[in-house]
Amino acid sequence: MNSNSAATVTTVKLKVLEIAEQAGGPEQPPVNVTLKKGKSLGEVGGTEVFQGKMKYCDNGKKRTVDLVQAVFPANKKRIMPGNVKLQINLKNCNEFIGPLVTIVPNDPTTVPTNCLDIKINPDNSSMLIVTFLEPKPGEFVAYPALYFHTSNGVIDPGLGVKREPG
């Protein structure tokens, strides 16, 4: 391979949404993000898959989410384990349908997701609530690789990594 023609990545910046743990006390509302269907990525197993953009509101400004991480302090002592809830809202009257999600790869022993529960909000089929289990002290829970099954097709949020110039 000619080294002059090889592309090099100098910097990759991920836009990370950090979520504080929920432990004990009254139930806290889930952190809310919106998921919009983007361009078609083609068919996978006879199903059309669309690129998705996840966004959240930060002081009134919409920001794109590349990765969701939950922060669990290592030095906190408590009886009950913590968890983190992410509430995903679909845009444009789209609705979640079963099966709700496909975890990629399908073998959870290969890529642990720390995922306790994935369910549709009973009052709103355009809203999905994902609950993650607390990992070992000091570790992060990373948003797993998921395909979302919706009435407008399967949406893959992916990681919208932007390569900075230079």
Side-chain angles (χ1 to χ4, degrees), residues 84-162:
V84 60
K85 286 192 177 182
L86 184 65
Q87 183 170 282
I88 302 160
N89 290 289
L90 292 172
K91 303 294 283 179
N92 305 325
C93 301
N94 200 357
E95 295 181 339
F96 287 106
I97 58 173
L100 299 178
V101 296
T102 301
I103 300 174
V104 182
N106 289 325
D107 182 1
T109 60
T110 308
V111 180
T113 62
N114 293 89
C115 197
L116 273 182
D117 192 28
I118 301 174
K119 65 181 177 184
I120 295 177
N121 183 322
D123 302 322
N124 182 355
S125 56
S126 293
M127 183 186 297
L128 194 69
I129 299 174
V130 182
T131 305
F132 295 101
L133 178 67
E134 178 178 10
K136 295 174 190 169
E139 289 184 342
F140 289 105
V141 174
Y143 191 70
L146 300 176
Y147 288 140
F148 292 93
H149 296 258
T150 79
S151 55
N152 289 345
V154 174
I155 301 178
D156 175 15
L159 288 178
V161 180
K162 180 180 177 185

Side-chain angles (χ1 to χ4, degrees), residues 33-51:
V33 300
T34 56
L35 177 62
K36 185 177 179 182
K37 184 177 82 170
K39 67 178 182 179
S40 174
L41 298 174
E43 284 198 7
V44 177
T47 303
E48 190 165 12
V49 177
F50 297 89
Q51 187 176 42

Side-chain angles (χ1 to χ4, degrees), residues 17-22 31 68-72 84-86 132:
L17 172 61
E18 287 194 345
I19 303 176
E21 69 169 324
Q22 298 180 344
V31 172
V68 175
Q69 291 184 328
V71 183
F72 294 87
V84 60
K85 286 192 177 182
L86 184 65
F132 295 101

Side-chain angles (χ1 to χ4, degrees), residues 71-84:
V71 183
F72 294 87
N75 60 355
K76 197 169 184 182
K77 293 190 192 268
R78 59 196 178 304
I79 298 169
M80 297 296 293
N83 63 35
V84 60

